Amino acid sequence: MNDLTPTREQRTAALEGMGCKRKRVEDIRFTQGRGNYVDDVKLPGMLHGDFVRSPHPHARVKSINSEEALKVPGVLAVITAETLKTVNLAWMPTLAGDVQMVLADGKVLFQNQEVAFVVATDRYAADDGINKVVVEYEPLPVVIDPFKAMDADAPVLREDLAGKTSGAHGPRKHHNHIFEWTVGDKELTDSAFKKAEVTIKEMISYHRTHPSPLETCQCVCSFDKIKGELTIYGTFQAPHVIRTVVSLIAKLPEQKIHVIAPDIGGGFGNKVGAYPGYICAAVASIVTGKPVKWVEDRIENLTATSFARDYHMTTEIAATKEGKVTGLRVHVLADHGAFDACADPSKWPAGFFNIVTGSYDFPVAHLAVDGIYTNKAPGGVAYRCSFRVTEAAYCIERAMDILAQKLNMDPAELRLKNFIKPEQFPYHSALGWEYDSGDYHTAMKKMMESTNYVALRKEQAEKRAAFKRGETRDIMGLGVSFFTEIVGAGPSKNCDILGIAMFDSCEIRMHPTGAGIARVGSKSQGQGHETTWAQIIATEIGIPADNIMVEEGNTDTAPYGLGTYGSRSTPVAGAAIAMAARKIKAKAQMIAAYKLEVHEDDLEWDIDGFRVKGLPEKTMSMKDICWAAYNSVPPGMEPGLEAVSYYDPPNMTYPFGAYLCVMDIDVDTGVYKVRRFYALDDCGTRINPMIIEGQVHGGLTEAFAIAMGQEIRYDDAGNVVTGSFMDFFMPTAVETPHWETDFTVTPSPHHPIGAKGVGESPNVGGVPAFSNAVNDAFSFLGSTHIQMPHDFWRNWRAAKELGAVA
Ligand code: CDP
């Protein structure tokens, strides 16, 4: 070895593999305004479509008159449900086993529902056309309060379901009922409650909110009449699923549909499902033979495409006097809006809400979820959450605080007492999951030490005394939250979408010069996959990450995958990437053995190539193997170096974290200040610590928004009153608190590289931390539970109701 020979450390660093804070390669184009988003797609002769929407939340549509609209210069067509019926597309199937109107068919069921689609030569003409379409409505009584949806005299919303006593998920109890889903042992749970020394019961609501990505939902559909091929550019989190759905409902051969998801400006679950805009743009393109673009505006996005949450969770815990939990009972009223268009794996009508036992060793539990229809927009998507896990984490984390309050115990101490212990993993929860790995005590204690939790509690006690003496008007809250997520949907044994198992995929093709391309079935919407996927490959096969190009989102080139949502990319696609890389490495080993004239078993891997065991100077680098793959492979072996892997995960992964929020609230104004927010995350093996930190910052900011103000609110008449960023809280850098991040590492035992997902974790753990901080602040004034969101006005109202304000 001479001075110029790189050291092992230098060879490892040159790869920029796993564990490296590699800079995001995609940012080179994003920061220079050179991204390519759907709205950048401009095709020759492209037309524009826009919707006439209902001002009524529930009304019969008596007539639609397009005569005047068609006279507007530039307007070419007005599509209604009657038009769509001619091609059998007036209704479309939802991912949840329901059907949904594409355009109003006889009635409308929520405000801003799509009624007609105006196609014009430009967006302005389409908008002028919309204003000229005359729709005659007959208003009907509305159902907005989910607790009244199943009243005997509640108006019938879904007339198309008349006489149907069962739906996709079993029997229906009422004309506005969708399903009842139960899990767990009711008898054992009831008996635990009978024997309990202490119980708590609280109705904990997680209000309706919306993912609101900065880029709204949009598409360009282009039908080539000669070839009979449909190309769709769209903001799709799951492009392959969209291709299959379009093929099934439009009856077009799947090979003639090309779905391309270019750069996406945030998804957060909003871009998983299929929307009327996609169907109408496709039909309009097929009818006119021209490309048709549909781009939602902000109001349309907030009021008509997928909402999130709207879960009302009556929660009971049974426990001993010493604070050991003995049973959990939860009933959820799930408001699904006008159609059941939840984006969950098919067999899970309430997603993975049965993770509601959280991080605690509940011996027994029972859960019942009733899904109901109301006059609100459909959706129920996993807004930065793995299928209702955020709702579950909020439910159990609030409930544990309420129990701590009743027992007069510290919330952190109560959690430590009830955590699943490290030696209990793999842990079988009372509601049916097998947690893969965890070390909750270490994480919690690290959080408590890093934040000086004990001193903060002491300060709080002093502040409370000062408040009571009238020396301050500020109250201080400590919001503890400890969450366990369930991410990586999912194993084919229990997860599918429309019958397609939820595997994911990767194809790696190495070129002769030691560079390569990896095509993956996931689809980044800002998570940095182009950066991190190359890092996995770099570590696995010893080729620098810079030499691996990552491509996603084109159904013609990427292998079939189920897309990106619910932090599934790392657990599923990340595993497929490692497995494909290992196939490359296995073939490379055979080539190296042939070239080095030794048996394969005599070779060992060494950072970026193979060396002969016992003869460290006899080596062959991966770069050289790539060249050899194209000119001198062993006799009988096919040339080339490529591999594909479809990965069906054996289990989900279970990341976890310990968060603390320190908040001060001025009771006279309700104004809060987040003094400190500490987030410790454990997502197993960390691929890129910098990207993880970015994911945590983003997720915490969304959690902050949701807990502290963000809400889709309806008035009693069914009008959406939060339809723009003027009234829907979207925090900017001004409002966003400072985030402190930390970590522990507990690898997943079944994942090829030990990694778990992380993208959703900060949202899942963040919301209860904020809400617990507010509730903790008010608890000494006698309150048990204050519903979210905790905006200034609601804080002030809480203070007033508790007698703290005159
Ligand atoms: O499915 P989605 O991409 O939203 O979520 P994810 O699997 O949690 O990954 C989000 C980003 O964090 C990706 O770029 C991952 O590669 C990265 N990540 C990581 O570096 N290490 C982990 N253990 C988990 C995620």
Side-chain angles (χ1 to χ4, degrees):
M1 194 161 98
N2 60 40
D3 284 352
L4 296 175
T5 310
T7 62
R8 295 181 62 76
E9 288 71 29
Q10 284 168 332
R11 280 163 60 200
T12 305
L15 297 178
E16 291 197 282
M18 285 193 276
C20 168
K21 293 185 181 177
R22 182 175 186 229
K23 283 196 181 154
R24 288 168 41 105
V25 291
E26 41 276 88
D27 286 354
I28 296 166
R29 63 178 191 278
F30 292 157
T31 55
Q32 296 183 56
R34 300 297 290 272
N36 180 38
Y37 297 89
V38 172
D39 203 35
D40 295 319
V41 176
K42 293 182 175 73
L43 302 179
M46 191 168 76
L47 306 176
H48 296 257
D50 207 351
F51 282 110
V52 175
R53 293 178 180 273
S54 168
H56 298 279
H58 194 198
R60 216 163 284 294
V61 177
K62 308 280 280 181
S63 65
I64 303 174
N65 187 335
S66 312
E67 244 171 69
E68 291 303 311
L70 288 166
K71 288 182 194 159
V72 172
V75 171
L76 302 176
V78 177
I79 294 174
T80 64
E82 295 311 311
T83 329
L84 294 180
K85 276 181 191 167
T86 60
V87 282
N88 209 13
L89 283 175
W91 291 69
M92 62 179 181
T94 71
L95 292 178
D98 196 0
V99 286
Q100 175 178 353
M101 287 178 209
V102 175
L103 291 170
D105 184 15
K107 73 189 296 204
V108 287
L109 285 159
F110 63 95
Q111 192 178 54
N112 278 357
Q113 185 177 333
E114 299 82 357
V115 175
F117 190 67
V118 176
V119 186
T121 46
D122 64 64
R123 179 75 189 254
Y124 301 97
D127 201 52
D128 290 345
I130 283 168
N131 294 324
K132 295 282 181 191
V133 176
V134 181
V135 186
E136 199 191 334
Y137 298 97
E138 178 194 314
L140 296 168
V142 298
V143 180
I144 294 301
D145 182 349
F147 289 94
K148 295 190 178 144
M150 288 205 284
D151 284 357
D153 58 350
V156 178
L157 304 189
R158 292 290 300 276
E159 288 164 14
D160 59 300
L161 300 179
K164 287 204 174 161
T165 51
S166 69
H169 305 289
R172 300 172 64 217
K173 304 184 228 182
H174 179 274
H175 51 258
N176 292 331
H177 186 238
I178 309 173
F179 64 83
E180 183 188 27
W181 186 57
T182 57
V183 199
D185 192 319
K186 187 166 176 354
E187 238 171 77
L188 282 180
T189 308
D190 289 348
S191 130
F193 274 85
K194 273 194 204 111
K195 287 186 226 143
E197 291 167 351
V198 183
T199 60
I200 60 122
K201 181 172 185 178
E202 192 65 49
M203 208 291 288
I204 299 167
S205 270
Y206 198 142
H207 56 285
R208 180 174 274 239
T209 183
H210 195 282
S212 53
L214 288 187
E215 180 203 35
T216 59
C217 299
Q218 38 200 277
C219 69
V220 177
C221 295
S222 179
F223 186 68
D224 183 326
K225 279 194 171 172
I226 307 295
K227 292 187 188 161
E229 292 181 17
L230 178 64
T231 304
I232 309 177
Y233 302 85
T235 45
F236 305 135
Q237 291 182 232
H240 282 98
V241 180
I242 293 285
R243 188 183 70 187
T244 304
V245 170
V246 172
S247 173
L248 292 174
I249 64 179
K251 306 270 182 295
L252 281 172
E254 201 166 352
Q255 82 279 11
K256 296 212 168 191
I257 304 168
H258 315 285
V259 176
I260 300 163
D263 288 328
I264 297 184
F268 314 115
N270 191 209
K271 296 168 178 171
V272 173
Y275 294 121
Y278 306 159
I279 308 282
C280 290
V283 170
S285 179
I286 291 169
V287 170
T288 60
K290 300 221 164 133
V292 176
K293 180 181 266 190
W294 168 69
V295 175
E296 255 183 347
D297 66 23
R298 180 58 55 194
I299 293 175
E300 292 175 301
N301 180 258
L302 281 173
T303 60
T305 50
S306 296
F307 76 94
R309 326 295 193 232
D310 221 341
Y311 258 35
H312 309 279
M313 309 169 287
T314 304
T315 313
E316 296 170 85
I317 297 182
T320 64
K321 286 199 296 290
E322 291 74 36
K324 190 90 189 83
V325 295
T326 54
L328 176 70
R329 199 157 54 190
V330 183
H331 175 262
V332 180
L333 194 62
D335 185 344
H336 286 215
F339 307 98
D340 186 7
C342 287
D344 295 315
S346 306
K347 295 186 196 88
W348 302 90
F352 302 151
F353 189 85
N354 55 331
I355 191 79
V356 69
T357 50
S359 317
Y360 313 106
D361 189 11
F362 278 96
V364 291
H366 186 256
L367 163 69
V369 183
D370 278 302
I372 47 129
Y373 292 121
T374 58
N375 290 117
K376 298 179 191 167
V381 294
Y383 169 11
R384 209 169 187 145
C385 143
S386 183
F387 313 116
R388 306 292 188 183
V389 176
T390 300
E391 289 90 325
Y394 181 63
C395 174
I396 189 64
E397 288 306 291
R398 269 305 298 131
M400 288 301 274
D401 261 31
I402 293 167
L403 177 64
Q405 190 182 349
K406 180 146 189 184
L407 291 165
N408 205 13
M409 260 178 96
D410 183 274
E413 190 194 329
L414 177 72
R415 283 170 172 82
L416 282 165
K417 191 170 226 158
N418 287 291
F419 278 153
I420 300 160
K421 297 184 183 71
E423 61 273 19
Q424 286 178 277
F425 291 92
Y427 172 80
H428 292 265
S429 77
L431 293 179
W433 293 112
E434 184 189 300
Y435 294 27
D436 61 348
S437 63
D439 182 353
Y440 300 164
H441 293 82
T442 301
M444 187 72 161
K445 284 182 180 153
K446 189 169 183 192
M447 179 278 271
M448 292 170 76
E449 275 158 31
S450 308
T451 57
N452 211 346
Y453 180 79
V454 176
L456 285 168
R457 281 285 175 213
K458 196 159 163 275
E459 182 192 342
Q460 183 188 45
E462 284 158 11
K463 284 242 163 84
R464 285 177 172 178
F467 184 90
K468 289 205 163 144
R469 290 194 300 271
E471 291 163 13
T472 175
R473 300 295 289 156
D474 272 4
I475 54 176
M476 175 180 169
L478 294 183
V480 177
S481 118
F482 196 100
F483 66 93
T484 296
E485 259 234 272
I486 167 171
V487 301
S492 60
K493 60 181 180 235
N494 52 19
C495 288
D496 72 272
I497 286 186
L498 300 173
I500 304 164
M502 293 184 74
F503 58 85
D504 227 293
S505 60
C506 171
E507 180 204 87
I508 301 174
R509 199 175 285 179
M510 296 307 299
H511 308 318
T513 54
I517 180 165
R519 293 186 164 118
V520 190
S522 50
K523 174 63 202 161
S524 187
Q525 309 119 44
Q527 294 94 328
H529 292 176
E530 286 168 54
T531 307
T532 49
W533 294 167
Q535 290 182 257
I536 298 177
I537 297 170
T539 297
E540 289 288 339
I541 67 169
I543 291 287
D546 274 350
N547 290 358
I548 304 291
M549 191 170 99
V550 173
E551 198 186 89
E552 297 177 319
N554 185 334
T555 54
D556 281 347
T557 52
Y560 204 109
L562 274 281
T564 290
Y565 37 87
S567 288
R568 68 182 298 278
S569 303
T570 302
V572 195
I577 293 162
M579 297 309 273
R582 286 174 194 183
K583 287 184 186 174
I584 296 272
K585 197 168 165 184
K587 183 170 180 184
Q589 186 164 358
M590 289 193 259
I591 297 170
Y594 174 67
K595 297 293 287 180
L596 294 168
E597 296 178 345
V598 294
H599 190 274
E600 279 163 59
D601 294 346
D602 293 330
L603 292 178
E604 61 188 1
W605 180 250
D606 183 34
I607 301 171
D608 49 13
F610 288 98
R611 69 175 173 213
V612 179
K613 288 178 193 163
L615 290 173
E617 69 289 350
K618 230 181 154 189
T619 63
M620 188 165 187
S621 71
M622 195 67 180
K623 186 171 189 287
D624 291 342
I625 297 170
C626 288
W627 187 260
Y630 288 88
N631 65 28
S632 51
V633 292
M637 179 186 273
E638 289 180 8
L641 194 52
E642 55 186 76
V644 59
S645 171
Y646 287 82
Y647 189 80
D648 180 7
N651 191 4
M652 308 277 184
T653 66
Y654 296 75
F656 56 92
Y659 290 5
L660 183 75
C661 173
V662 187
M663 193 185 289
D664 298 300
I665 304 172
D666 172 1
V667 289
D668 293 316
T669 58
V671 173
Y672 57 80
K673 186 161 174 14
V674 178
R675 200 199 304 173
R676 202 168 169 192
F677 198 104
Y678 169 94
L680 177 149
D681 274 280
D682 191 320
C683 57
T685 305
R686 293 154 57 86
I687 302 163
N688 184 327
M690 183 198 68
I691 286 200
I692 292 174
E693 199 175 349
Q695 292 286 304
V696 174
H697 283 197
L700 288 177
T701 305
E702 286 181 321
F704 166 67
I706 296 168
M708 306 311 287
Q710 191 173 86
E711 182 183 19
I712 295 289
R713 204 164 51 243
Y714 289 79
D715 67 15
D716 292 343
N719 300 300
V720 192
V721 294
T722 49
S724 79
F725 284 164
M726 294 296 284
D727 4 61
F728 183 82
F729 178 38
M730 178 57 68
T732 66
V734 176
E735 297 90 6
T736 302
H738 172 73
W739 310 120
E740 292 170 53
T741 57
D742 206 343
F743 65 97
T744 53
V745 177
T746 313
S748 165
H750 61 79
H751 188 281
I753 57 168
K756 305 179 178 186
V758 76
E760 273 66 17
S761 296
N763 198 332
V764 171
V767 172
F770 286 111
S771 186
N772 279 348
V774 174
N775 276 287
D776 184 60
F778 281 107
S779 62
F780 83 113
L781 297 172
S783 94
T784 308
H785 176 66
I786 302 164
Q787 303 286 10
M788 287 194 294
H790 306 291
D791 52 33
F792 297 162
W793 181 77
R794 283 181 173 91
N795 289 342
W796 171 82
R797 189 184 59 180
K800 182 145 177 83
E801 280 170 8
L802 293 165
V805 179

